Amino acid sequence: MSNTPTPTPAESADDTRLSIEAFDELDAILDDLRTRYEQTPQWEFCDGFLTALVCCRRPIPDEEWLPVLLSIGEGKDEETGEEASWKDEAQRGTFMKLWHQRSAEVAASLDTEVESLEDDRAFVPEVLDVRGNVAALPEAERAGFDGEDLPSFAQVWALGFMFAVENWPEEWQPPRDRELAQAVDA
């Protein structure tokens, strides 16, 4: 029996927070995957998807969600002939290590009671403000985005979350117990 105390959710969140460099590494891996399979999503979408997996009733194993999110393990795309694949085992290992670290961070943050979003323990989704970033560009650079349909703040993250919900709808059904279902609904 170990005398090491079990970390609280707040302590776990601090221990698992991904650095900016780690998020950059995830982006680089997704960019590389995109060279072999252009349907590979951006990290913001993946973070929404990951958060939904954390919120599911049951743990969704890697071999179940990986083909859904990254099409890895499903063979070639019928339209393009592209195949989603890791560059090598090291790339897969790095992605999975960072994915599980982010998953633990999200779980710890969601399990921690906070009074204010200013609290360092509060859940912080990885979202981009594309419209705000484009608006902040110099006028000449902004002109390149004229007529483009830019996503709203956190829209891509929400699409990733809902993609997981749509793929595992049974995980989001209300409880069968009427009283419990009413409590969840409230």
Side-chain angles (χ1 to χ4, degrees), residues 58-73:
R58 69 174 173 92
I60 308 292
D62 296 344
E63 58 275 359
E64 190 174 339
W65 66 259
L66 259 173
V68 173
L69 178 64
L70 299 177
S71 296
I72 290 177

Side-chain angles (χ1 to χ4, degrees), residues 6-17 101 104-109 112:
T6 303
T8 65
E11 290 169 339
S12 299
D14 290 341
D15 294 343
T16 61
R17 292 215 189 268
Q101 187 175 349
E105 176 185 344
V106 168
S109 293
T112 301

Side-chain angles (χ1 to χ4, degrees), residues 77-131:
D77 183 285
E78 291 179 18
E79 291 180 28
T80 65
E82 294 178 315
E83 187 173 335
S85 61
W86 304 108
K87 178 174 67 178
D88 53 31
E89 193 56 37
Q91 182 185 58
R92 180 193 187 287
T94 299
F95 181 87
M96 296 308 293
K97 175 183 173 259
L98 294 173
W99 179 274
H100 289 292
Q101 187 175 349
R102 175 63 178 159
S103 183
E105 176 185 344
V106 168
S109 293
L110 292 174
D111 282 344
T112 301
E113 193 171 321
V114 295
E115 298 294 323
S116 164
L117 293 179
E118 300 298 318
D119 189 326
D120 288 339
R121 300 169 301 156
F123 172 63
V124 179
E126 283 296 308
V127 296
L128 297 174
D129 184 3
V130 176
R131 291 179 181 180

